[in-house]
Amino acid sequence: MAKSGRPSDRLNPKTVNQFDRGGQSVFGNLYNNGAIPCKLSHGSVTHRLTWSQAPESLSYDPLILHLAEGLKEKQHPYTFIAREGFIELCDLAGSGDKVLPLLTRIIPPVKMAMMSSDKAVVEGTFKAVSALSNCVRAHLNPHLKTLLSPFPKWLNNANTKDLVTSVLHLLEENGGKEAFTQIKKKIPTYISIH
């Protein structure tokens, strides 16, 4: 590959190595190396994931952890694969039993993704938090103190306020009074759904 001395050299196809994966994210490398057993299926209107084997038969350790790490991705197709993969695994019947032992390891990357400055990353992560809450229900309560710290920033943003409010309501619905107490400590202006 020729060295690029001028900015326009980067645009010249003869000097760009299209197979160079340098600088790619950890999640991108995992996906490209086959550690994430699904692929993106492009539809005419919407995209979906096609799993290489039945998702019910997959081991969640380390798969769901990789997907949680991938929630902070900003590059297509990794954003879609991480978010949809995480949500689909959480939505499967009986997934709570597989997710519970990994919950303490799932929370930190989810929190990091919510701390992103990228609105699309944050919105996707809030959807993932909703799926996680539906999956483990009140078992998420001990982790709410950690998980809720980025919420106030996005609750004060007019573009994300409705989404954040709906996630808070879901956390309270799934976690009960204990969840409400945790939410109220972090967000004093929060109003209960009851």
Side-chain angles (χ1 to χ4, degrees), residues 38-60:
C38 65
K39 64 179 183 175
L40 178 64
S41 295
H42 293 277
S44 58
V45 178
T46 59
H47 303 312
R48 63 182 178 82
L49 291 182
T50 303
W51 295 89
S52 59
Q53 61 188 43
E56 298 85 7
S57 67
L58 295 170
S59 171
Y60 278 36

Side-chain angles (χ1 to χ4, degrees), residues 10-88:
R10 286 179 282 162
L11 302 175
N12 183 346
K14 294 177 186 172
T15 62
V16 174
N17 182 353
Q18 60 199 26
F19 301 104
D20 181 21
R21 298 285 184 195
Q24 193 171 55
S25 68
V26 172
F27 181 80
N29 284 331
L30 287 168
Y31 177 73
N32 289 331
N33 291 329
I36 311 295
C38 65
K39 64 179 183 175
L40 178 64
S41 295
H42 293 277
S44 58
V45 178
T46 59
H47 303 312
R48 63 182 178 82
L49 291 182
T50 303
W51 295 89
S52 59
Q53 61 188 43
E56 298 85 7
S57 67
L58 295 170
S59 171
Y60 278 36
D61 187 5
L63 179 58
I64 201 158
L65 300 171
H66 294 324
L67 294 169
E69 283 287 338
L71 291 172
K72 62 185 173 196
E73 286 289 332
K74 297 178 185 176
Q75 185 179 0
H76 180 74
Y78 309 124
T79 54
F80 182 83
I81 292 165
R83 183 185 67 243
E84 289 304 310
F86 188 91
I87 291 170
E88 284 184 23

Side-chain angles (χ1 to χ4, degrees), residues 99-117:
V99 172
L100 275 175
L102 304 171
L103 200 52
T104 56
R105 293 167 49 203
I106 291 171
I107 298 301
V110 170
K111 178 184 172 185
M112 289 302 295
M114 282 193 294
M115 294 173 72
S116 172
S117 60

Side-chain angles (χ1 to χ4, degrees), residues 136-158:
V136 298
R137 311 206 51 87
H139 294 284
L140 196 57
N141 288 351
H143 306 281
L144 286 180
K145 183 177 180 182
T146 303
L147 194 62
L148 288 171
S149 59
F151 275 65
K153 171 185 174 184
W154 296 105
L155 191 59
N156 293 328
N157 182 322

